[in-house]
Amino acid sequence: HKFPKKHETKRRPLWINFVLAKRAKWTFTSTSHLCSEHFGPEHFESQLSAIPGTSLVGRRILKNDAFFFFNRD
């Protein structure tokens, strides 16, 4: 999931600090992303993981206010 935009002054630093706590040498870039594993099911708009009748898997959409993370090691 893409990091919050620059104007999202509350969420963006939380995301950046979360990654820095795990990876001290990490540097934020405009292409930085976090995987879905760092969010709980309540942080998604859609819980679809498969599209019925097809072999396609739907992308889960993160809610605009999501910023809580699971502490996964």
Side-chain angles (χ1 to χ4, degrees):
H1 301 279
K2 291 181 180 180
F3 274 66
K5 303 231 185 252
K6 197 174 195 174
H7 69 274
E8 296 182 65
T9 58
K10 289 185 180 184
R11 285 193 325 137
R12 186 175 176 144
L14 290 171
W15 285 45
I16 292 171
N17 289 334
F18 170 77
V19 177
L20 286 171
K22 301 283 185 183
R23 298 178 181 211
K25 294 182 180 181
W26 175 79
T27 302
F28 173 78
T29 69
S30 61
T31 60
S32 295
H33 286 70
L34 280 178
C35 72
S36 295
E37 290 185 15
H38 296 293
F39 301 93
E42 68 277 11
H43 299 124
F44 294 94
E45 295 283 337
S46 170
Q47 297 302 318
L48 265 181
S49 60
I51 300 173
T54 71
S55 61
L56 300 175
V57 176
R59 186 174 74 138
R60 296 192 305 172
I61 299 170
L62 201 58
K63 291 180 180 178
N64 287 337
D65 61 350
F67 61 86
F68 294 102
F69 306 96
F70 284 123
N71 186 11
R72 297 189 187 223
D73 296 318

